[in-house]
Amino acid sequence: MSERLLEIKDLVVEYHTDEADVHALNGVSLSLDKGETLGLVGETGAGKTTTALSIMQLLPKRIGEIKSGEILFEGEDLRKKTEAQMRVIRGESISMIFQDPMTSLNPVIRVGDQILEALRLHRPDMSKEEQQKKVDEMLEMVGIPAARKREYPHQFSGGMKQRVVIAIALALEPKLLIADEPTTALDVTIQAQVLQMMNDLKTKLDTSMLLITHDLGVVSQTCDKVAVMYAGEVVEYGRAEDIFLGKRHHPYTDGLFGSLPELNSHAKRLSPINGLMPDPMALPEGCKFHPRCPHCTERCRHEIPVIHRDGEHMIRCHLMDEEVR
Amino acid sequence: MTKYILKRLAMMVLVVLGISFIVFTIMSLTPGNAAQMILGQSASPEQVAKLEAELGLDQPFFARFFGFWKGVLQGDFGKSYQTKLPVFDEILARFPTTLKLSTFAMLIATLIGVPVGVISAVRQYSIVDGVSMVIAMLFASVPSFVMGLLLQLEFALNLRWLPATGVASWQSYILPAFTLSASTMATLTRMTRSTMLEAIRQDYIRTARAKGATESSVVLRHALRNALLPIVTVIGVDFGYLLGGTVIIESVFSLPGLGTLMITSIRMKDTPVVMAAVMFVTIAYSLVNLAVDIIYAFIDPRVKSQYAKG
C-alpha cells in the first residue's frame, strides 16, 4: 500500500469554558495515506472541525486544549512542534479551506494579495514576477480570470470566493488539504462545480485531502475512506466501499443512511435518528450513542464498547461482539 | 469619489448657512445689549442709542442677518464691537494656538491609545491589559481641569520641568496637550481593544493563520486594518471637537485660544466675533469629518464602492 501521511492516535481535546469543560474529542484515531481522500462525516457538534483545527494546531487559544494523543504527520508528532515550526508547516505542507467563504477572506485586502501572502511567506526565494505569475496561474486554475486579482472579496460571488480560498490553500501545493465543509455555504449547482474542481486539482497536484462534511452524497463521490464521527469519537471507519456497500455498520451509520431521502421510494416521511447529539459537557456513560440507539442493550448503558476490526473496517459497537464470534 | 466629495462640500455650505442663522438668532434673542455692555451701566440711554445706531443694532433682525452675510461674501466678517479690530484677524491670531494644541493632543492620544489598545486585545486578561484598562477608566473619568491642575502642581511647581502657563515655547504645550488628550486616549484605548478583539475572532484571521502568517502580521496587517474604522471615527470627532477650542483647558493654562475668545465674546454680546468664530469652527469640524470619510474609503474598499454609487 501507499505511504502513510497522517495518523491521529487517541486524540483527546477539551474546551474550557467558564461553565464547564467541554469534551470535544474523546480518543479519536484516524489515518490517511498519500493521495487519498478521507471523508469525516457526522452531525454538527460531533468534533469534525475540532479534529481539523487540532491538526493545524489552531484551536482557540486558552480555550481549546489537546489533553492527550498523537498527531503524526509524515511520522512526526505535530504536538511537539514549536509555534515557529508549525507556521512553516501551515500553508506549506498542510493547508485548510474553511466552511464559510463569505467570511474567510479578508475584506480589506485584494484577493490577489491574499494568495500572494502565502507565497511570500513560504517562497521567499521566488522573485516578485514569479510570485505574481504564480498568483495568476492559481486564479486561472480555479477558473477566475487573472485580471480580477486586483479586486476585493466583496466584488466576488460566494462560489468565486470559495474558489479564491481554494487557490490560496493550493498555491503552495500542500501535501495535505483539509477542507472543512467546503461546499455547505454554496448553492447546489456551485457545490458540484467546486467539488469537481477540488477533486481535479487534488489529482493534478497529488494532494491528500481530509474532507469534512455532513453530506453523504459528497462523500460517496469523492472519498476513498470514510470516518463516521459521533460525540467526539470515530464510531466507524473504513474504505468507502465498506461504508456504502458493506453489510455491517454501526447503528449510527445506519441511522445516517436511513435519514437520507430516496427518490425511488414512495415514503412520505424521512426516518431521522431520534433525539439529539448528547451534551458534550455531560456525556452519557457507556456507549455515547446508547440513548438514541434502536438496538440499545443493558450493556451499552454501562460499558464503553471496544473497536471491532475487519481488515481496515472498524466499528465501535457492542452489537458486533456476537456477530464476530 | 470626486462627485461624492463635491456633494459633501455643497452640503457643508448649507450646514454653515443653517448654523449661522441659528447662532445669529440666539445672539439676538438672548437678553443683554452690546452697546450697554461696552459703555457700562452708568451710560445714559442717549449714549446707548447713539452707539446702537453706529453698530447697526437698531436695524431689524433680517436686515442685520443679510447685512452680515453680504459682508461675509465680500470677505469681510466685520469688526469686533469691543476692540474695533477686524474679526478675521483676531481669529487668525488665535487659531494657531488652538490648532497646535489640538493636533499635539490628538497625536499623543493616538500614538499611545491605539498601540496600548492593540496590546490589550492581543494579550486579553493579562496584567498589561488589566493595568491599561484601569488607567483608561481613570483618564476617562477624571475631569480635565482636575487633571490639568494636578499636572501643573507636579510637573511645573514641584519638579519644575515644564512651564505651568502661557505659550512661550513648545514645552508650554506639553501639559495642556496631555491633559486634553487624556479622555480621547482613554476612549481610543478601549475602542481599539474592543474592535481588535472582534476582528481577531473573525474567520479571515483563521485563514491568515492557516497560511502560516506570523502573529505580528496577523495582528497588524489582517486584524488592525479591519478594526480601524471606528478608531478613525473617534479620532476625527474628537479632533473636530478640540478645534473648537477648549475653554477649560485654555483658562487653566492661560492659553490664548479660540475657546476663551468665544466665551468672552458671547458674554460681551460681541456678535461679529461669535459669528465668525462659530463659522470657522463649523468649517473646520466639517472638513475634518470629510477627511475622515475619505480616509474610510482608503481603509475599506467596500466603503469606497458605496461612495462611487453616489
Side-chain angles (χ1 to χ4, degrees), chain A residues 53 56 58 61-62 87 90-91 98 100 103-109 113-114 117-118 121-122 152 154 168, chain B residues 122 124-125 203-204 206-215 217 221-223 225-226 299-302 305:
Chain A
L53 290 177
M56 296 292 280
L58 280 178
K61 269 183 218 157
R62 285 190 299 271
R87 269 204 300 274
R90 288 198 281 261
F98 293 100
D100 189 353
T103 55
S104 41
L105 290 175
N106 194 327
V108 299
I109 301 179
D113 292 344
Q114 297 196 44
E117 188 182 15
L121 286 163
H122 298 284
Y152 290 95
H154 72 274
I168 294 174
Chain B
V122 176
Q124 194 189 5
Y125 303 134
D203 285 353
Y204 51 77
R206 208 167 48 174
T207 309
R209 289 217 170 96
K211 268 185 236 177
T214 58
E215 197 57 29
S217 151
R221 192 173 127 87
H222 288 276
R225 223 183 128 188
N226 277 285
I299 298 172
D300 194 331
R302 288 166 297 183
S305 60

Side-chain angles (χ1 to χ4, degrees), chain B residues 171-206:
Chain B
Q171 283 103 325
S172 317
Y173 286 100
I174 295 178
L175 287 184
F178 188 82
T179 313
L180 214 49
S181 72
S183 78
T184 304
M185 195 193 298
T187 319
L188 273 178
T189 309
R190 295 195 69 97
M191 178 77 83
T192 306
R193 179 178 182 268
S194 67
T195 53
M196 278 298 285
L197 281 177
E198 201 186 308
I200 283 174
R201 272 199 296 270
Q202 298 297 316
D203 285 353
Y204 51 77
I205 295 300
R206 208 167 48 174

